Amino acid sequence: MKVELVQLAGRDGDTAHNLARALEAIAACAADTDLVVFPETHLMGFPTRDTIAALAEPLDGPTLQAIAQAARAHDIAIAIGMAERDGEHYYNTTVLMTPQGIALRYRKTHLWASDKGIFTAGDRYATALWKGVRVGMLICFDIEFPESARALGQLGAELIIVTNGNMDPYGPTHRTAIMARAMENQAFAVMVNRVGTGDDGLVFAGGSAVVDPFGNLLCEAGREECRQVMVLDFDRLQAARNDYRYLDERRLTLPGERIEHADGRRELLIPQDSF
C-alpha cells in the first residue's frame, strides 16, 4: 500500500483555506497512491466554544462533500480530521473517505484539555477494509492510552492511522507512543501531525511518522510542512506475528459489545460505565 503523509500548517477557523490546501495536496498525489493522510481537525482547525457552532459540519456537509469528490476523481482514500456536528453534539472526528464514500468515521474518545467543553467524546472504536487491509483510526491524545490501540488490535487492525494535533513540549511523547502502539499490536502505524502556530499560541510539533509492526521507525518528518511517501509491505505483518502474537498471549480482553457489519466494518462499543 502506497501512503502519502501530508504535514501541514492549518488555520484555526478558516475552513475554506484548509480545504483548499487539502484539495491541492490530494491533486498532487502520485497516480498509484492508495491513501493520503492529513492532521487532526485539519478541515476546520481547532474550534473554540465561541466558534464551534459556526464551524462544525455534518458528514454530508459541503466541506466533506468536496473531499468525497476528490477521492472519486483521484481514486484514492483520504484520512482527514474535521469538527463534526451531529444534532446538538460536536465531535473531533476523523473520516476515512474512499472513492465509494465514507468507509470509516472515528470520533476521538480521549479528549485533551482544550477539547473538553467543546467536543463530546466518542463511544466506540472501529475498523474497516481498504484494498484488503483492515484499517483503524485514532486521534492525537488517544495514542497515549494503550487500550485505544489495543481496541483496534482486538478488531483485527493491520494499519493504525493517527491524525495528530500534538504541540510542544509533547512531541517526544507521541514519538514514543506511536512506536509502542505499533509494536504492541504488531501493526503498521501512520501518524500525521500539524506544524506551525495556532491561534491560541500553541506551537505544533510535526514529527509525522510511519512505524512498522516491529515498532521500527521507517520515516519521521521534521517541524516544517512536508510530504512523505512510503510503501507499506504487509508481508512484514506476517514476519512480526510469526513467532508469537501479543493478542493471542494476552491475559485480559477489553470489554465492550463487538458489532460486525455486512460491509466489513467492525466496532467495539465502550461500556457506558466507562464514561
Side-chain angles (χ1 to χ4, degrees):
M1 179 177 288
K2 188 172 183 178
V3 181
E4 299 199 25
L5 292 68
V6 180
Q7 180 170 282
L8 293 175
R11 292 183 186 173
D12 293 326
D14 193 342
T15 301
H17 170 84
N18 297 331
L19 174 60
R21 296 293 312 278
L23 295 177
E24 178 183 21
I26 294 164
C29 286
D32 60 345
T33 293
D34 300 295
L35 170 68
V36 58
V37 184
F38 292 91
E40 177 184 11
T41 63
H42 171 73
L43 289 172
M44 287 82 185
F46 285 107
T48 66
R49 296 188 188 196
D50 294 332
T51 63
I52 182 64
L55 290 174
E57 295 183 20
L59 295 185
D60 59 357
T63 302
L64 209 56
Q65 288 301 306
I67 296 296
Q69 183 176 355
R72 290 192 298 270
H74 298 282
D75 192 28
I76 195 171
I78 303 161
I80 195 163
M82 64 177 293
E84 179 197 356
R85 177 199 294 271
D86 186 1
E88 298 301 314
H89 295 280
Y90 305 107
Y91 296 93
N92 183 332
T93 297
T94 292
V95 169
L96 179 65
M97 183 72 73
T98 73
Q100 291 73 44
I102 297 173
L104 195 60
R105 174 193 64 188
Y106 171 69
R107 293 167 169 173
K108 190 175 184 179
T109 54
H110 293 83
L111 300 182
W112 178 249
S114 57
D115 290 320
K116 293 178 178 178
I118 300 172
F119 294 117
T120 298
D123 65 354
R124 69 195 63 200
Y125 298 98
T127 64
L129 291 170
W130 170 240
K131 295 201 169 179
V133 174
R134 186 156 293 280
V135 179
M137 299 189 296
L138 298 174
I139 301 173
C140 198
F141 194 39
D142 288 328
I143 67 166
E144 297 182 41
F145 298 86
E147 297 85 357
S148 296
R150 177 63 86 214
L152 297 181
Q154 196 165 299
L155 293 171
E158 298 167 309
L159 169 61
I160 298 172
I161 297 170
V162 182
T163 56
N164 211 13
N166 189 30
M167 74 296 289
D168 290 340
Y170 305 112
T173 301
H174 282 202
R175 186 181 195 271
T176 300
I178 196 65
M179 295 168 72
R181 301 297 86 84
M183 184 201 73
E184 292 163 350
N185 295 284
Q186 296 168 302
F188 279 98
V190 173
M191 178 177 73
V192 178
N193 197 20
R194 181 175 165 176
V195 293
T197 303
D199 283 353
D200 51 7
L202 294 176
V203 178
F204 295 96
S208 299
V210 177
V211 183
D212 77 5
F214 292 96
N216 297 316
L217 197 66
L218 300 182
C219 70
E220 183 177 24
R223 298 178 61 91
E224 304 299 324
E225 288 193 341
C226 67
R227 177 190 299 263
Q228 296 173 297
V229 182
M230 288 292 302
V231 176
L232 308 184
D233 178 5
F234 283 92
D235 287 342
R236 298 287 287 167
L237 285 176
Q238 181 57 42
R241 300 172 178 183
N242 189 52
D243 295 326
Y244 58 88
R245 291 196 63 180
Y246 289 124
L247 285 162
D248 294 340
E249 300 293 336
R250 64 196 163 136
R251 301 288 294 276
L252 296 173
T253 301
L254 294 177
E257 179 186 359
R258 177 169 166 147
I259 302 173
E260 298 274 353
H261 295 273
D263 61 4
R265 285 179 299 122
R266 296 173 180 166
E267 294 183 322
L268 183 67
L269 274 59
I270 299 172
Q272 288 302 305
D273 58 8
S274 299
F275 287 93

